[in-house]
PDB file of all heavy atoms in Angstrom:
ATOM      1  N   MET J   1      -4.475   8.046   4.145  1.00  0.00           N
ATOM      2  CA  MET J   1      -3.833   9.334   3.901  1.00  0.00           C
ATOM      3  C   MET J   1      -3.596   9.552   2.405  1.00  0.00           C
ATOM      4  O   MET J   1      -3.794  10.644   1.881  1.00  0.00           O
ATOM      5  CB  MET J   1      -2.502   9.413   4.659  1.00  0.00           C
ATOM      6  CG  MET J   1      -2.648   9.595   6.151  1.00  0.00           C
ATOM      7  SD  MET J   1      -3.351  11.201   6.604  1.00  0.00           S
ATOM      8  CE  MET J   1      -1.994  12.282   6.106  1.00  0.00           C
ATOM      9  N   ILE J   2      -3.168   8.502   1.716  1.00  0.00           N
ATOM     10  CA  ILE J   2      -2.863   8.627   0.289  1.00  0.00           C
ATOM     11  C   ILE J   2      -4.134   8.737  -0.549  1.00  0.00           C
ATOM     12  O   ILE J   2      -4.197   9.511  -1.518  1.00  0.00           O
ATOM     13  CB  ILE J   2      -2.009   7.429  -0.181  1.00  0.00           C
ATOM     14  CG1 ILE J   2      -0.645   7.457   0.502  1.00  0.00           C
ATOM     15  CG2 ILE J   2      -1.832   7.436  -1.701  1.00  0.00           C
ATOM     16  CD1 ILE J   2       0.216   6.241   0.225  1.00  0.00           C
ATOM     17  N   SER J   3      -5.174   7.989  -0.178  1.00  0.00           N
ATOM     18  CA  SER J   3      -6.372   7.909  -1.018  1.00  0.00           C
ATOM     19  C   SER J   3      -7.438   8.949  -0.687  1.00  0.00           C
ATOM     20  O   SER J   3      -8.467   9.018  -1.358  1.00  0.00           O
ATOM     21  CB  SER J   3      -6.982   6.511  -0.922  1.00  0.00           C
ATOM     22  OG  SER J   3      -7.270   6.175   0.408  1.00  0.00           O
ATOM     23  N   THR J   4      -7.214   9.761   0.346  1.00  0.00           N
ATOM     24  CA  THR J   4      -8.190  10.774   0.734  1.00  0.00           C
ATOM     25  C   THR J   4      -7.733  12.154   0.277  1.00  0.00           C
ATOM     26  O   THR J   4      -6.591  12.551   0.491  1.00  0.00           O
ATOM     27  CB  THR J   4      -8.404  10.778   2.264  1.00  0.00           C
ATOM     28  OG1 THR J   4      -8.867   9.489   2.668  1.00  0.00           O
ATOM     29  CG2 THR J   4      -9.432  11.825   2.666  1.00  0.00           C
ATOM     30  N   ASN J   5      -8.645  12.849  -0.343  1.00  0.00           N
ATOM     31  CA  ASN J   5      -8.350  14.199  -0.852  1.00  0.00           C
ATOM     32  C   ASN J   5      -9.498  15.130  -0.482  1.00  0.00           C
ATOM     33  O   ASN J   5     -10.653  14.887  -0.861  1.00  0.00           O
ATOM     34  CB  ASN J   5      -8.173  14.155  -2.378  1.00  0.00           C
ATOM     35  CG  ASN J   5      -7.736  15.500  -2.937  1.00  0.00           C
ATOM     36  OD1 ASN J   5      -7.071  16.281  -2.246  1.00  0.00           O
ATOM     37  ND2 ASN J   5      -8.115  15.784  -4.171  1.00  0.00           N
ATOM     38  N   HIS J   6      -9.175  16.199   0.295  1.00  0.00           N
ATOM     39  CA  HIS J   6     -10.184  17.172   0.740  1.00  0.00           C
ATOM     40  C   HIS J   6     -11.350  16.482   1.457  1.00  0.00           C
ATOM     41  O   HIS J   6     -12.522  16.807   1.232  1.00  0.00           O
ATOM     42  CB  HIS J   6     -10.700  17.991  -0.441  1.00  0.00           C
ATOM     43  CG  HIS J   6      -9.633  18.777  -1.146  1.00  0.00           C
ATOM     44  ND1 HIS J   6      -8.918  19.794  -0.533  1.00  0.00           N
ATOM     45  CD2 HIS J   6      -9.152  18.681  -2.414  1.00  0.00           C
ATOM     46  CE1 HIS J   6      -8.047  20.298  -1.394  1.00  0.00           C
ATOM     47  NE2 HIS J   6      -8.165  19.645  -2.543  1.00  0.00           N
ATOM     48  N   GLY J   7     -11.007  15.511   2.285  1.00  0.00           N
ATOM     49  CA  GLY J   7     -12.027  14.850   3.094  1.00  0.00           C
ATOM     50  C   GLY J   7     -12.815  13.774   2.390  1.00  0.00           C
ATOM     51  O   GLY J   7     -13.710  13.162   2.987  1.00  0.00           O
ATOM     52  N   LYS J   8     -12.518  13.499   1.118  1.00  0.00           N
ATOM     53  CA  LYS J   8     -13.245  12.486   0.368  1.00  0.00           C
ATOM     54  C   LYS J   8     -12.300  11.366  -0.052  1.00  0.00           C
ATOM     55  O   LYS J   8     -11.194  11.634  -0.512  1.00  0.00           O
ATOM     56  CB  LYS J   8     -13.916  13.093  -0.861  1.00  0.00           C
ATOM     57  CG  LYS J   8     -15.050  14.061  -0.512  1.00  0.00           C
ATOM     58  CD  LYS J   8     -15.774  14.520  -1.766  1.00  0.00           C
ATOM     59  CE  LYS J   8     -16.950  15.424  -1.397  1.00  0.00           C
ATOM     60  NZ  LYS J   8     -17.700  15.868  -2.597  1.00  0.00           N
ATOM     61  N   THR J   9     -12.775  10.130   0.124  1.00  0.00           N
ATOM     62  CA  THR J   9     -11.962   8.966  -0.209  1.00  0.00           C
ATOM     63  C   THR J   9     -12.542   8.258  -1.422  1.00  0.00           C
ATOM     64  O   THR J   9     -13.708   7.845  -1.422  1.00  0.00           O
ATOM     65  CB  THR J   9     -11.922   7.973   0.973  1.00  0.00           C
ATOM     66  OG1 THR J   9     -11.461   8.648   2.142  1.00  0.00           O
ATOM     67  CG2 THR J   9     -10.985   6.809   0.672  1.00  0.00           C
ATOM     68  N   SER J  10     -11.733   8.151  -2.455  1.00  0.00           N
ATOM     69  CA  SER J  10     -12.134   7.425  -3.656  1.00  0.00           C
ATOM     70  C   SER J  10     -11.928   5.932  -3.438  1.00  0.00           C
ATOM     71  O   SER J  10     -10.837   5.498  -3.060  1.00  0.00           O
ATOM     72  CB  SER J  10     -11.314   7.894  -4.865  1.00  0.00           C
ATOM     73  OG  SER J  10     -11.423   6.987  -5.941  1.00  0.00           O
ATOM     74  N   MET J  11     -12.975   5.127  -3.683  1.00  0.00           N
ATOM     75  CA  MET J  11     -12.868   3.681  -3.491  1.00  0.00           C
ATOM     76  C   MET J  11     -11.855   3.077  -4.454  1.00  0.00           C
ATOM     77  O   MET J  11     -11.117   2.156  -4.106  1.00  0.00           O
ATOM     78  CB  MET J  11     -14.240   3.023  -3.685  1.00  0.00           C
ATOM     79  CG  MET J  11     -15.236   3.390  -2.600  1.00  0.00           C
ATOM     80  SD  MET J  11     -14.736   2.825  -0.953  1.00  0.00           S
ATOM     81  CE  MET J  11     -15.320   1.145  -0.993  1.00  0.00           C
ATOM     82  N   LEU J  12     -11.795   3.587  -5.680  1.00  0.00           N
ATOM     83  CA  LEU J  12     -10.834   3.078  -6.658  1.00  0.00           C
ATOM     84  C   LEU J  12      -9.408   3.388  -6.209  1.00  0.00           C
ATOM     85  O   LEU J  12      -8.524   2.523  -6.245  1.00  0.00           O
ATOM     86  CB  LEU J  12     -11.100   3.681  -8.037  1.00  0.00           C
ATOM     87  CG  LEU J  12     -10.121   3.275  -9.148  1.00  0.00           C
ATOM     88  CD1 LEU J  12     -10.132   1.764  -9.341  1.00  0.00           C
ATOM     89  CD2 LEU J  12     -10.456   4.000 -10.450  1.00  0.00           C
ATOM     90  N   THR J  13      -9.181   4.622  -5.761  1.00  0.00           N
ATOM     91  CA  THR J  13      -7.851   5.003  -5.277  1.00  0.00           C
ATOM     92  C   THR J  13      -7.480   4.199  -4.040  1.00  0.00           C
ATOM     93  O   THR J  13      -6.335   3.767  -3.884  1.00  0.00           O
ATOM     94  CB  THR J  13      -7.810   6.508  -4.953  1.00  0.00           C
ATOM     95  OG1 THR J  13      -8.247   7.254  -6.079  1.00  0.00           O
ATOM     96  CG2 THR J  13      -6.407   6.949  -4.591  1.00  0.00           C
ATOM     97  N   LEU J  14      -8.462   3.980  -3.179  1.00  0.00           N
ATOM     98  CA  LEU J  14      -8.232   3.190  -1.972  1.00  0.00           C
ATOM     99  C   LEU J  14      -7.791   1.771  -2.345  1.00  0.00           C
ATOM    100  O   LEU J  14      -6.829   1.238  -1.780  1.00  0.00           O
ATOM    101  CB  LEU J  14      -9.510   3.142  -1.141  1.00  0.00           C
ATOM    102  CG  LEU J  14      -9.421   2.484   0.240  1.00  0.00           C
ATOM    103  CD1 LEU J  14      -8.762   3.426   1.226  1.00  0.00           C
ATOM    104  CD2 LEU J  14     -10.811   2.106   0.734  1.00  0.00           C
ATOM    105  N   LEU J  15      -8.477   1.186  -3.299  1.00  0.00           N
ATOM    106  CA  LEU J  15      -8.159  -0.171  -3.725  1.00  0.00           C
ATOM    107  C   LEU J  15      -6.768  -0.251  -4.351  1.00  0.00           C
ATOM    108  O   LEU J  15      -5.961  -1.119  -4.014  1.00  0.00           O
ATOM    109  CB  LEU J  15      -9.209  -0.659  -4.723  1.00  0.00           C
ATOM    110  CG  LEU J  15      -9.006  -2.040  -5.340  1.00  0.00           C
ATOM    111  CD1 LEU J  15      -8.988  -3.106  -4.255  1.00  0.00           C
ATOM    112  CD2 LEU J  15     -10.095  -2.333  -6.358  1.00  0.00           C
ATOM    113  N   LEU J  16      -6.473   0.689  -5.262  1.00  0.00           N
ATOM    114  CA  LEU J  16      -5.175   0.677  -5.939  1.00  0.00           C
ATOM    115  C   LEU J  16      -4.037   0.945  -4.952  1.00  0.00           C
ATOM    116  O   LEU J  16      -2.968   0.327  -5.043  1.00  0.00           O
ATOM    117  CB  LEU J  16      -5.163   1.719  -7.056  1.00  0.00           C
ATOM    118  CG  LEU J  16      -6.117   1.445  -8.226  1.00  0.00           C
ATOM    119  CD1 LEU J  16      -6.105   2.614  -9.199  1.00  0.00           C
ATOM    120  CD2 LEU J  16      -5.748   0.151  -8.931  1.00  0.00           C
ATOM    121  N   THR J  17      -4.268   1.859  -4.012  1.00  0.00           N
ATOM    122  CA  THR J  17      -3.258   2.145  -2.992  1.00  0.00           C
ATOM    123  C   THR J  17      -3.014   0.922  -2.123  1.00  0.00           C
ATOM    124  O   THR J  17      -1.865   0.583  -1.795  1.00  0.00           O
ATOM    125  CB  THR J  17      -3.698   3.326  -2.114  1.00  0.00           C
ATOM    126  OG1 THR J  17      -3.973   4.461  -2.933  1.00  0.00           O
ATOM    127  CG2 THR J  17      -2.610   3.691  -1.110  1.00  0.00           C
ATOM    128  N   GLY J  18      -4.098   0.240  -1.751  1.00  0.00           N
ATOM    129  CA  GLY J  18      -3.967  -0.966  -0.947  1.00  0.00           C
ATOM    130  C   GLY J  18      -3.170  -2.045  -1.657  1.00  0.00           C
ATOM    131  O   GLY J  18      -2.324  -2.705  -1.060  1.00  0.00           O
ATOM    132  N   ILE J  19      -3.416  -2.219  -2.949  1.00  0.00           N
ATOM    133  CA  ILE J  19      -2.677  -3.216  -3.726  1.00  0.00           C
ATOM    134  C   ILE J  19      -1.191  -2.869  -3.785  1.00  0.00           C
ATOM    135  O   ILE J  19      -0.318  -3.728  -3.605  1.00  0.00           O
ATOM    136  CB  ILE J  19      -3.260  -3.324  -5.149  1.00  0.00           C
ATOM    137  CG1 ILE J  19      -4.666  -3.933  -5.095  1.00  0.00           C
ATOM    138  CG2 ILE J  19      -2.354  -4.160  -6.052  1.00  0.00           C
ATOM    139  CD1 ILE J  19      -5.398  -3.897  -6.407  1.00  0.00           C
ATOM    140  N   ALA J  20      -0.893  -1.579  -4.017  1.00  0.00           N
ATOM    141  CA  ALA J  20       0.501  -1.151  -4.118  1.00  0.00           C
ATOM    142  C   ALA J  20       1.235  -1.340  -2.790  1.00  0.00           C
ATOM    143  O   ALA J  20       2.357  -1.879  -2.743  1.00  0.00           O
ATOM    144  CB  ALA J  20       0.565   0.310  -4.554  1.00  0.00           C
ATOM    145  N   ILE J  21       0.622  -0.910  -1.689  1.00  0.00           N
ATOM    146  CA  ILE J  21       1.260  -1.030  -0.384  1.00  0.00           C
ATOM    147  C   ILE J  21       1.377  -2.489   0.025  1.00  0.00           C
ATOM    148  O   ILE J  21       2.384  -2.907   0.623  1.00  0.00           O
ATOM    149  CB  ILE J  21       0.483  -0.212   0.667  1.00  0.00           C
ATOM    150  CG1 ILE J  21       0.667   1.287   0.384  1.00  0.00           C
ATOM    151  CG2 ILE J  21       0.939  -0.542   2.083  1.00  0.00           C
ATOM    152  CD1 ILE J  21      -0.037   2.197   1.343  1.00  0.00           C
ATOM    153  N   SER J  22       0.369  -3.289  -0.310  1.00  0.00           N
ATOM    154  CA  SER J  22       0.433  -4.721  -0.014  1.00  0.00           C
ATOM    155  C   SER J  22       1.606  -5.381  -0.726  1.00  0.00           C
ATOM    156  O   SER J  22       2.335  -6.182  -0.133  1.00  0.00           O
ATOM    157  CB  SER J  22      -0.878  -5.387  -0.431  1.00  0.00           C
ATOM    158  OG  SER J  22      -0.847  -6.768  -0.152  1.00  0.00           O
ATOM    159  N   SER J  23       1.817  -5.012  -1.986  1.00  0.00           N
ATOM    160  CA  SER J  23       2.949  -5.563  -2.745  1.00  0.00           C
ATOM    161  C   SER J  23       4.276  -5.128  -2.133  1.00  0.00           C
ATOM    162  O   SER J  23       5.220  -5.918  -2.030  1.00  0.00           O
ATOM    163  CB  SER J  23       2.874  -5.106  -4.203  1.00  0.00           C
ATOM    164  OG  SER J  23       1.695  -5.577  -4.819  1.00  0.00           O
ATOM    165  N   PHE J  24       4.347  -3.858  -1.715  1.00  0.00           N
ATOM    166  CA  PHE J  24       5.569  -3.351  -1.101  1.00  0.00           C
ATOM    167  C   PHE J  24       5.874  -4.068   0.207  1.00  0.00           C
ATOM    168  O   PHE J  24       7.020  -4.488   0.463  1.00  0.00           O
ATOM    169  CB  PHE J  24       5.435  -1.845  -0.852  1.00  0.00           C
ATOM    170  CG  PHE J  24       6.573  -1.250  -0.074  1.00  0.00           C
ATOM    171  CD1 PHE J  24       7.803  -1.031  -0.676  1.00  0.00           C
ATOM    172  CD2 PHE J  24       6.415  -0.908   1.264  1.00  0.00           C
ATOM    173  CE1 PHE J  24       8.861  -0.486   0.044  1.00  0.00           C
ATOM    174  CE2 PHE J  24       7.458  -0.366   1.994  1.00  0.00           C
ATOM    175  CZ  PHE J  24       8.695  -0.157   1.375  1.00  0.00           C
ATOM    176  N   LEU J  25       4.847  -4.253   1.043  1.00  0.00           N
ATOM    177  CA  LEU J  25       5.051  -4.929   2.325  1.00  0.00           C
ATOM    178  C   LEU J  25       5.400  -6.404   2.134  1.00  0.00           C
ATOM    179  O   LEU J  25       6.192  -6.965   2.893  1.00  0.00           O
ATOM    180  CB  LEU J  25       3.799  -4.791   3.193  1.00  0.00           C
ATOM    181  CG  LEU J  25       3.516  -3.380   3.717  1.00  0.00           C
ATOM    182  CD1 LEU J  25       2.161  -3.323   4.401  1.00  0.00           C
ATOM    183  CD2 LEU J  25       4.611  -2.931   4.678  1.00  0.00           C
ATOM    184  N   SER J  26       4.816  -7.025   1.113  1.00  0.00           N
ATOM    185  CA  SER J  26       5.169  -8.419   0.812  1.00  0.00           C
ATOM    186  C   SER J  26       6.637  -8.522   0.410  1.00  0.00           C
ATOM    187  O   SER J  26       7.335  -9.476   0.783  1.00  0.00           O
ATOM    188  CB  SER J  26       4.277  -8.957  -0.310  1.00  0.00           C
ATOM    189  OG  SER J  26       2.925  -9.010   0.106  1.00  0.00           O
ATOM    190  N   ALA J  27       7.122  -7.518  -0.345  1.00  0.00           N
ATOM    191  CA  ALA J  27       8.536  -7.494  -0.730  1.00  0.00           C
ATOM    192  C   ALA J  27       9.431  -7.309   0.505  1.00  0.00           C
ATOM    193  O   ALA J  27      10.482  -7.943   0.624  1.00  0.00           O
ATOM    194  CB  ALA J  27       8.781  -6.383  -1.737  1.00  0.00           C
ATOM    195  N   CYS J  28       8.992  -6.440   1.428  1.00  0.00           N
ATOM    196  CA  CYS J  28       9.749  -6.236   2.666  1.00  0.00           C
ATOM    197  C   CYS J  28       9.797  -7.527   3.492  1.00  0.00           C
ATOM    198  O   CYS J  28      10.840  -7.862   4.073  1.00  0.00           O
ATOM    199  CB  CYS J  28       9.118  -5.119   3.492  1.00  0.00           C
ATOM    200  SG  CYS J  28       9.250  -3.476   2.756  1.00  0.00           S
ATOM    201  N   THR J  29       8.678  -8.229   3.530  1.00  0.00           N
ATOM    202  CA  THR J  29       8.638  -9.507   4.242  1.00  0.00           C
ATOM    203  C   THR J  29       9.602 -10.505   3.622  1.00  0.00           C
ATOM    204  O   THR J  29      10.362 -11.197   4.325  1.00  0.00           O
ATOM    205  CB  THR J  29       7.203 -10.069   4.226  1.00  0.00           C
ATOM    206  OG1 THR J  29       6.325  -9.156   4.891  1.00  0.00           O
ATOM    207  CG2 THR J  29       7.145 -11.419   4.919  1.00  0.00           C
ATOM    208  N   SER J  30       9.598 -10.587   2.296  1.00  0.00           N
ATOM    209  CA  SER J  30      10.510 -11.503   1.590  1.00  0.00           C
ATOM    210  C   SER J  30      11.966 -11.126   1.845  1.00  0.00           C
ATOM    211  O   SER J  30      12.830 -12.011   1.970  1.00  0.00           O
ATOM    212  CB  SER J  30      10.222 -11.473   0.087  1.00  0.00           C
ATOM    213  OG  SER J  30       8.900 -11.901  -0.183  1.00  0.00           O
ATOM    214  N   LEU J  31      12.234  -9.822   1.945  1.00  0.00           N
ATOM    215  CA  LEU J  31      13.594  -9.366   2.211  1.00  0.00           C
ATOM    216  C   LEU J  31      14.072  -9.831   3.583  1.00  0.00           C
ATOM    217  O   LEU J  31      15.204 -10.319   3.733  1.00  0.00           O
ATOM    218  CB  LEU J  31      13.660  -7.839   2.120  1.00  0.00           C
ATOM    219  CG  LEU J  31      15.054  -7.199   2.238  1.00  0.00           C
ATOM    220  CD1 LEU J  31      15.921  -7.618   1.041  1.00  0.00           C
ATOM    221  CD2 LEU J  31      14.933  -5.677   2.306  1.00  0.00           C
ATOM    222  N   LEU J  32      13.216  -9.711   4.589  1.00  0.00           N
ATOM    223  CA  LEU J  32      13.584 -10.177   5.935  1.00  0.00           C
ATOM    224  C   LEU J  32      13.798 -11.687   5.951  1.00  0.00           C
ATOM    225  O   LEU J  32      14.713 -12.183   6.626  1.00  0.00           O
ATOM    226  CB  LEU J  32      12.500  -9.797   6.938  1.00  0.00           C
ATOM    227  CG  LEU J  32      12.378  -8.314   7.306  1.00  0.00           C
ATOM    228  CD1 LEU J  32      11.322  -8.129   8.380  1.00  0.00           C
ATOM    229  CD2 LEU J  32      13.714  -7.751   7.776  1.00  0.00           C
ATOM    230  N   ILE J  33      12.983 -12.412   5.205  1.00  0.00           N
ATOM    231  CA  ILE J  33      13.155 -13.864   5.132  1.00  0.00           C
ATOM    232  C   ILE J  33      14.508 -14.216   4.520  1.00  0.00           C
ATOM    233  O   ILE J  33      15.220 -15.104   4.994  1.00  0.00           O
ATOM    234  CB  ILE J  33      12.009 -14.503   4.316  1.00  0.00           C
ATOM    235  CG1 ILE J  33      10.689 -14.370   5.066  1.00  0.00           C
ATOM    236  CG2 ILE J  33      12.299 -15.980   4.032  1.00  0.00           C
ATOM    237  CD1 ILE J  33       9.492 -14.850   4.288  1.00  0.00           C
ATOM    238  N   SER J  34      14.896 -13.487   3.467  1.00  0.00           N
ATOM    239  CA  SER J  34      16.163 -13.777   2.782  1.00  0.00           C
ATOM    240  C   SER J  34      17.364 -13.476   3.660  1.00  0.00           C
ATOM    241  O   SER J  34      18.434 -14.070   3.495  1.00  0.00           O
ATOM    242  CB  SER J  34      16.254 -12.977   1.484  1.00  0.00           C
ATOM    243  OG  SER J  34      16.333 -11.588   1.747  1.00  0.00           O
ATOM    244  N   PHE J  35      17.212 -12.563   4.640  1.00  0.00           N
ATOM    245  CA  PHE J  35      18.303 -12.224   5.549  1.00  0.00           C
ATOM    246  C   PHE J  35      18.343 -13.126   6.780  1.00  0.00           C
ATOM    247  O   PHE J  35      19.257 -13.017   7.599  1.00  0.00           O
ATOM    248  CB  PHE J  35      18.181 -10.769   6.016  1.00  0.00           C
ATOM    249  CG  PHE J  35      18.521  -9.758   4.951  1.00  0.00           C
ATOM    250  CD1 PHE J  35      18.010  -8.465   5.027  1.00  0.00           C
ATOM    251  CD2 PHE J  35      19.345 -10.088   3.889  1.00  0.00           C
ATOM    252  CE1 PHE J  35      18.323  -7.524   4.060  1.00  0.00           C
ATOM    253  CE2 PHE J  35      19.648  -9.154   2.915  1.00  0.00           C
ATOM    254  CZ  PHE J  35      19.144  -7.882   2.992  1.00  0.00           C
ATOM    255  N   SER J  36      17.346 -14.001   6.930  1.00  0.00           N
ATOM    256  CA  SER J  36      17.222 -14.814   8.146  1.00  0.00           C
ATOM    257  C   SER J  36      18.065 -16.080   8.065  1.00  0.00           C
ATOM    258  O   SER J  36      18.325 -16.599   6.979  1.00  0.00           O
ATOM    259  CB  SER J  36      15.756 -15.204   8.370  1.00  0.00           C
ATOM    260  OG  SER J  36      14.930 -14.065   8.437  1.00  0.00           O
TER     261      SER J  36
END
């Protein structure tokens, strides 16, 4: 959804978006671990 614009997906945007979301989810995972 983030990397697609007017039906076209940029591979660079896809990659950068994936890295950003991966980092965010890793932080969320670490947060749950710290509360466990």
